[in-house]
């Protein structure tokens, strides 16, 4: 039993494309959170009344999925392809190992709870 | 002799101007950080309530009561005793004296509310209330009397201020600098980003101000005929010209923001205010363009200083008011309003000098008295919220509320 958690920071406007790409691979469940963050490029400049002001953190979405290890690569690939524009700010994907999962309704554990 | 058309227009105009204070609250509220939006709304709305009472009790008689030496109104109309349904022929011969009083109340309310943009996000609410009450008593009432009161010395000198470029915008705009100096800059000013909480609120506020300004300027004719119409037309024209100018200038620098266009519209409205009963539509176009350019660069300059006039009350209202008052001395025409005067461009350079003296007198008086009032009230009541109150935000620390659930 090996479970992987995939956390992907993506552009807000890419959510639907990513969702469709995952659904095509049979991946349905996920949690989406509105987050703010920045990468090495820092923030952006926005127009003030006259002149500009700097916004240091940009709105992004964070997707969290826990999947079986055998599905992990295709999930990563689907997100990477669907969320990519090639410009800075496309986001990052973090992969980690998950010890166990519990389905609250039935108490099932592990893969059966996914 | 009461004219029902005039009375109807003045009552409608009064309601329009009263709407401008909540409009201003949203105009300002949208530009502050999320944790201070309710506090910013509250500053304007508390003034609406407080000055409504002050005006009835003694504000009106100090401003418009029978003249005492050209400097202040006497206390004859304390509590509006003697201000009734019959007209006061000196101020407005065709509407009830009460209608004139009420129209003027709307101006007395919005003027101190304009200043609040200078000290948002760090003001101590109780000290603020005391400051505003004193400001209305010691700055608004005398200046209003000098310029608009019968026997007022600037009025007697021939100063032209149709709807309050000097009485409203210069007093508020210059006082803003004085208070900002006393209270100091916000924590993190120019170091941490201060993101506006809700630009759509600001835009809505700006265009409700535009709407209300038809009453502000149109109503200042105090009748409902040709002069009110002329003021109505030039008001819209100057606002549009300034909005367009602002948009184009910011486009040259980068991108045309809706916040910029809205600010430009307000600046145009400010600048046409003193001139609105004296100038032609073509002059209004010029006044709008000039005012937008001046205020645009005034904001850019302010942003490089350590003076945290947070919402640019001086750049928008102070500079807009000064531009408008001086332009009145250039563009005024007796052909528009026979009760006015000709400006420099119509053969009377003297009017420009009268306007210049008026601007200087009112600006210096407003600055000095505001500075002293703010210093004294800060020492006694504290004008600035405590450091931890400012950090957590004034909505929670001053008012025990939050605007948004998460």
């Amino acid at each position: 039993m090996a479970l992987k958690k995939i956390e992907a920071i993506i552009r807000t406007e890419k959510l639907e494309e990513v969702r469709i790409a995952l659904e095509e691979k049979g991946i349905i469940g996920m949690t989406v959170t509105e987050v703010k963050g920045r990468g090495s490029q820092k923030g952006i400049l926005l127009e003030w009344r006259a002149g500009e002001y700097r916004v240091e953190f940009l709105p992004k979405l964070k997707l969290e999925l826990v999947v079986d290890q055998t599905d992990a690569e295709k999930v990563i690939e689907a997100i990477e392809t669907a969320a990519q524009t090639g410009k800075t700010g496309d986001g990052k994907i973090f992969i980690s190992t998950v010890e166990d999962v519990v389905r609250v309704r039935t108490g099932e554990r592990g893969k059966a709870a996914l | 002799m009461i004219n029902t058309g005039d009375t109807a227009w003045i009552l409608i105009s009064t309601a329009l101007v009263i709407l401008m204070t909540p409009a201003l609250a949203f105009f300002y509220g949208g530009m502050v950080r999320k944790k201070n939006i309710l506090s910013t709304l509250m500053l304007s709305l508390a003034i609406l309530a407080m000055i409504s009472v002050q005006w009835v009790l003694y504000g009106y008689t100090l401003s418009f009561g029978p003249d005492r030496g050209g400097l202040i109104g006497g206390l004859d109309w304390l509590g509006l005793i003697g201000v009734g349904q019959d007209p006061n022929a000196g101020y407005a011969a065709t509407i009830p004296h009460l209608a004139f009083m009420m129209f003027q109340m709307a101006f007395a309310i919005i003027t101190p509310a304009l200043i609040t943009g200078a000290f948002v996000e760090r003001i101590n609410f109780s000290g603020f209330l005391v400051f505003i009450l004193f400001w209305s008593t010691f700055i608004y009432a005398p200046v209003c009397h000098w310029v608009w009161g019968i026997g007022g010395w600037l009025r007697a000198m021939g100063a032209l201020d149709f709807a309050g470029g000097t009485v409203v915008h210069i007093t508020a705009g210059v006082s803003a600098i004085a208070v900002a100096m006393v209270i100091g800059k916000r924590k993190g000013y120019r170091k941490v980003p201060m993101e506006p909480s809700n630009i759509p609120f600001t835009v809505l506020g700006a265009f409700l101000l535009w709407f209300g300004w038809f009453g502000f300027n149109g109503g200042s004719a105090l009748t409902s005929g040709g002069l009110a119409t002329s003021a109505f037309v030039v008001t819209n024209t100057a606002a549009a010209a300034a909005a367009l100018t602002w948009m184009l200038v910011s486009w040259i620098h980068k991108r045309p923001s809706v916040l910029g266009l809205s600010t430009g519209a307000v600046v145009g409205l400010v600048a046409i205010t003193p001139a609105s009963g004296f100038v032609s539509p073509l002059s209004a176009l010029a006044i709008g363009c000039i005012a937008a350019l001046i205020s645009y660069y005034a904001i850019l300059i302010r942003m490089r200083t350590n003076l945290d006039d947070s919402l640019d009350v001086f750049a928008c209202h102070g500079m807009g008011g000064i531009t408008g008052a001086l332009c009145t001395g250039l563009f005024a025409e007796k052909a528009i309003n026979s009760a006015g005067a000709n400006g420099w461009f119509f053969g009377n350079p003297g009017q420009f000098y009268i306007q210049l003296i008026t601007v200087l007198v009112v600006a210096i008086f407003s600055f000095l008295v505001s500075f002293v009032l703010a210093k004294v009230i800060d020492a006694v009541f504290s004008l600035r919220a405590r450091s931890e109150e400012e950090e957590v935000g004034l909505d929670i620390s001053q008012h025990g509320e939050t605007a948004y659930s998460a």
Side-chain angles (χ1 to χ4, degrees):
Chain A
M1 183 190 77
L3 299 172
K4 291 286 179 191
K5 178 155 88 164
I6 294 159
E7 290 169 283
I9 311 288
I10 62 166
R11 294 179 183 276
T12 53
E13 66 271 23
K14 286 291 184 184
L15 177 65
E16 285 306 307
E17 285 172 61
V18 171
R19 194 211 86 217
I20 290 164
L22 288 170
E23 221 168 279
E24 282 168 0
K25 310 252 180 202
I27 306 293
I28 308 299
M30 68 183 81
T31 303
V32 181
T33 319
E34 292 179 356
V35 294
K36 278 183 174 181
R38 62 177 189 171
S40 50
Q41 300 80 22
K42 295 189 176 176
I44 54 166
L45 288 173
L46 290 180
E47 299 296 314
W48 184 236
R49 309 169 89 174
E52 294 169 318
Y53 68 99
R54 173 166 281 279
V55 175
E56 295 287 3
F57 295 96
L58 304 176
K60 295 284 172 185
L61 293 178
K62 184 168 84 168
L63 268 56
E64 285 171 279
L65 305 89
V66 175
V67 297
D68 188 80
Q69 190 172 22
T70 54
D71 288 334
E73 277 309 318
K74 70 176 179 188
V75 168
I76 292 163
E77 195 202 325
I79 295 174
E80 195 187 321
T81 313
Q84 199 172 72
T85 69
K87 300 203 178 82
T88 54
D90 276 354
K92 287 210 166 56
I93 303 175
F94 305 103
I95 302 110
S96 51
T97 303
V98 170
E99 280 195 12
D100 204 352
V101 185
V102 181
R103 188 190 300 278
V104 173
R105 175 167 56 87
T106 58
E108 286 164 285
R109 291 290 187 108
K111 237 192 262 184
L114 286 178
Chain B
M1 179 74 177
I2 284 177
N3 177 302
T4 53
D6 291 349
T7 305
W9 170 234
I10 296 310
L11 292 179
I12 291 166
S13 291
T14 303
L16 284 169
V17 183
I18 295 271
L19 176 69
M20 290 170 67
T21 296
L24 181 76
F26 279 92
F27 182 64
Y28 282 170
M31 284 188 281
V32 300
R33 287 168 290 176
K34 272 182 197 163
K35 60 184 179 181
N36 296 315
I37 183 170
L38 291 178
S39 150
T40 302
L41 295 175
M42 184 70 165
L43 298 179
S44 288
L45 301 176
I47 288 172
L48 173 54
M50 187 169 71
I51 300 304
S52 289
V53 173
Q54 182 260 7
W55 194 249
V56 167
L57 291 179
Y58 69 88
Y60 179 66
T61 196
L62 274 187
S63 306
F64 289 96
D67 180 62
R68 298 286 184 271
L71 296 176
I72 195 77
L75 297 178
D76 310 48
W77 297 337
L78 216 52
L80 301 185
I81 305 285
V83 179
Q85 296 180 21
D86 292 331
N88 176 300
Y91 286 120
T94 61
I95 62 172
H97 192 183
L98 278 170
F100 176 77
M101 179 284 298
M102 191 67 202
F103 182 65
Q104 290 298 337
M105 179 197 284
F107 288 65
I109 291 166
I110 194 168
T111 307
L114 294 170
I115 309 171
T116 63
F119 48 66
V120 291
E121 305 202 272
R122 59 202 186 283
I123 188 82
N124 171 36
F125 189 62
S126 53
F128 154 80
L129 291 174
V130 177
F131 174 77
I132 293 298
L133 194 61
F134 278 70
W135 191 90
S136 293
T137 307
F138 293 106
I139 295 179
Y140 189 80
V143 173
C144 182
H145 186 78
W146 300 350
V147 178
W148 286 340
I150 292 173
W153 73 277
L154 289 172
R155 173 175 169 150
M157 195 179 78
L160 293 182
D161 184 8
F162 192 71
T166 302
V167 175
V168 173
H169 296 285
I170 296 178
T171 58
V174 174
S175 297
I177 300 182
V179 192
M181 283 170 68
V182 173
I183 192 173
K185 59 192 176 188
R186 287 167 290 178
K187 277 170 116 59
Y189 173 66
R190 294 182 72 200
K191 292 200 185 83
V192 301
M194 298 192 177
E195 279 189 70
S197 58
N198 195 325
I199 300 285
F201 275 169
T202 297
V203 173
L204 187 63
F207 287 86
L208 281 175
L209 283 171
W210 186 325
F211 178 72
W213 230 294
F214 291 122
F216 203 93
N217 291 353
S220 288
L222 297 169
T223 52
S224 67
L227 185 58
T229 307
S230 173
F232 201 115
V233 171
V234 296
T235 297
N236 195 73
T237 305
L244 216 52
T245 304
W246 201 289
M247 185 188 82
L248 292 173
V249 176
S250 59
W251 210 340
I252 291 167
H253 283 263
K254 201 84 184 262
R255 285 171 291 186
S257 72
V258 62
L259 181 59
L261 180 132
S262 307
T263 303
V266 171
V267 166
L269 290 161
V270 170
I272 196 62
T273 294
S276 54
F278 309 112
V279 301
S280 71
L282 284 179
S283 299
L285 279 179
I287 292 171
C289 293
I290 295 167
L293 287 172
I294 290 175
S295 290
Y296 182 92
Y297 288 103
I299 290 182
L300 289 182
I301 292 167
R302 194 277 304 164
M303 287 167 78
R304 289 198 207 107
T305 70
N306 256 334
L307 179 75
D308 186 10
D309 174 3
S310 310
L311 305 180
D312 286 300
V313 182
F314 178 72
C316 294
H317 296 275
M319 287 311 297
I322 290 168
T323 306
L326 296 179
C327 281
T328 305
L330 300 175
F331 292 100
E333 294 175 59
K334 282 194 106 163
I336 304 283
N337 183 348
S338 58
N342 281 324
W344 198 334
F345 295 161
F346 296 88
N348 178 23
Q351 189 60 39
F352 182 80
Y353 295 113
I354 292 173
Q355 298 299 107
L356 186 62
I357 291 165
T358 304
V359 165
L360 289 174
V361 165
V362 171
I364 292 168
F365 176 81
S366 302
F367 181 84
L368 291 178
V369 180
S370 282
F371 191 82
V372 171
L373 280 181
K375 274 282 185 200
V376 171
I377 290 166
D378 189 40
V380 180
F381 298 95
S382 181
L383 271 180
R384 181 142 188 162
R386 281 181 285 125
S387 176
E388 62 272 24
E389 292 176 327
E390 183 181 346
E391 277 173 3
V392 74
L394 302 187
D395 290 3
I396 287 183
S397 67
Q398 306 287 310
H399 307 290
E401 293 173 294
T402 53
Y404 307 99
S405 58

